[in-house]
């Protein structure tokens, strides 16, 4: 497991495109949208940054699924999956080895983007323990869903397209682009079924309302459950994924 994790982490560190999508582009979006909406005198600067910075952090966290799809599909096409299956390495070790590096990358991404917000825009930090818990759960959901998608899709392009639907569609309906309160009632009701809504609402509870772990336990539980479902789908879809692997 650890050998797989080290190899995967090393490959991702060397992938300049991943770092662009993970850090550079989110910061560009944050700076651009904070600049645009700072001219709105009806909304305070604190409300603007606590909507935009967590919102775009959550949205871009979901794009890690593209990298996960590419990693799994390449393993399948190169016969790596078949070779690993012929060894005594348990399935769970393969999944854990592939999953851990992406989990670490998402947590670093969240830390960097929130740190940028704190330094540049004086983003309120809130309770550190609550932030850590919610951030771990956010990383868990996006990587859990990433694993599920990676073993289900047939091609990289299909995975990229589905990731865009999940990331951008979830951002729109989950209130990441604009406050959910100003949306139609139907959208507000639909949004409560999305992890993006629960992640953003949890961050706003911590940052704006000085929430602690007890205030975001339901948000964390929802994200954990959704991520766990993704992991289970990946586990049970593995035999099909293995049959598609080149020998």
């Amino acid at each position: 497991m650890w050998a797989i994790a080290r190899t995967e982490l090393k490959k991702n560190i060397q992938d300049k495109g991943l770092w662009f999508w993970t850090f550079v582009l989110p910061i560009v979006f944050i700076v651009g949208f904070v600049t645009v909406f700072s001219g709105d005198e009806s909304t305070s600067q604190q409300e603007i940054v606590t909507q935009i910075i967590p919102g775009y952090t959550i949205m871009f966290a979901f794009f890690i699924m593209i990298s996960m799809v590419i990693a799994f599909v390449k393993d399948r096409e190169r016969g790596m999956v078949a070779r690993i299956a012929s060894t005594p390495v348990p399935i769970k070790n393969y999944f854990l080895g592939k999953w851990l590096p992406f989990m670490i990358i998402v947590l670093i991404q969240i830390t960097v983007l929130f740190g940028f917000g704190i330094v540049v825009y004086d983003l309120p930090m809130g309770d550190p323990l609550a932030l850590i818990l919610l951030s771990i759960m956010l990383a868990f959901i996006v990587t859990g869903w990433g694993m599920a998608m990676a073993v289900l899709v047939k091609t990289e392009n299909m995975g990229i397209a589905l990731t865009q639907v999940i990331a951008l569609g979830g951002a729109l309906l989950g209130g990441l682009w604009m406050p959910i309160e100003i949306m139609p009632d139907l959208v507000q009701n639909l949004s409560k079924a999305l992890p993006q809504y629960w992640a953003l609402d949890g961050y706003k509870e911590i940052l704006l309302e000085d929430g602690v772990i007890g205030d975001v336990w339901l948000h964390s539980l929802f994200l954990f459950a959704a991520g766990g479902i993704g992991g289970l789908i990946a586990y049970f879809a593995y035999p099909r994924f293995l049959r598609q692997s080149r020998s």
Side-chain angles (χ1 to χ4, degrees):
M1 179 186 77
W2 295 114
I4 295 173
R6 285 194 299 269
T7 301
E8 193 65 43
L9 185 59
K10 183 179 179 179
K11 286 193 299 183
N12 285 309
I13 289 175
Q14 295 172 346
D15 184 355
K16 295 180 180 179
L18 174 62
W19 295 111
F20 174 79
W21 282 95
T22 304
F23 302 109
V24 178
L25 194 60
I27 289 176
V28 171
F29 268 72
I30 288 170
V31 172
F33 279 90
V34 169
T35 302
V36 169
F37 287 101
S38 292
D40 184 1
E41 296 180 356
S42 64
T43 307
S44 69
Q45 180 74 3
Q46 187 181 59
E47 290 176 322
I48 292 171
V49 298
T50 51
Q51 170 67 34
I52 291 176
I53 295 174
Y56 280 100
T57 298
I58 295 166
M59 185 184 80
F60 279 98
F62 276 85
F63 279 98
I64 197 67
M65 292 193 291
I66 293 177
S67 297
M68 298 184 74
V69 167
I70 292 173
F72 275 80
V73 170
K74 282 184 176 178
D75 277 1
R76 186 188 68 198
E77 295 300 317
R78 293 172 178 172
M80 181 64 69
V81 176
R83 289 198 293 271
I84 292 176
S86 66
T87 69
V89 177
I91 296 174
K92 66 178 182 179
N93 285 10
Y94 170 71
F95 277 119
L96 286 172
K98 299 292 285 188
W99 166 72
L100 279 173
F102 292 106
M103 185 82 174
I104 292 170
I105 290 170
V106 175
L107 289 173
I108 294 173
Q109 177 188 34
I110 296 169
T111 302
V112 169
L113 296 183
F114 270 77
F116 176 81
I118 292 170
V119 172
V120 178
Y121 295 109
D122 198 25
L123 179 74
M125 185 174 178
D127 180 59
L129 292 179
L131 275 176
I132 291 171
L133 173 63
L134 194 63
S135 297
I136 291 173
M137 292 301 104
L138 173 60
F140 184 71
I141 165 68
V142 299
T143 53
W145 282 19
M147 283 200 303
M149 186 184 299
V151 300
L152 290 175
V153 299
K154 293 183 178 181
T155 65
E156 292 180 8
N157 287 337
M158 185 183 297
I160 292 171
L162 287 175
T163 297
Q164 291 175 336
V165 171
I166 293 172
L168 301 179
L172 175 62
L173 298 177
L176 304 186
W177 290 348
M178 63 187 74
I180 195 70
E181 295 80 14
I182 67 175
M183 295 185 180
D185 292 339
L186 177 60
V187 176
Q188 292 188 38
N189 292 328
L190 288 174
S191 68
K192 294 179 182 177
L194 300 175
Q196 288 93 335
Y197 166 84
W198 289 95
L200 180 61
D201 191 63
Y203 278 128
K204 291 173 79 172
E205 177 70 31
I206 297 168
L207 302 178
L208 287 175
E209 306 296 333
D210 295 324
V212 295
I213 290 179
D215 297 310
V216 296
W217 71 269
L218 185 60
H219 306 76
S220 301
L221 180 62
F222 183 95
L223 297 176
F224 178 78
I229 290 171
L232 288 174
I233 291 173
Y235 183 83
F236 287 110
Y238 178 78
R240 173 179 171 273
F241 178 70
L242 178 58
R243 287 194 298 270
Q244 296 174 340
S245 176
R246 294 173 184 253
S247 60

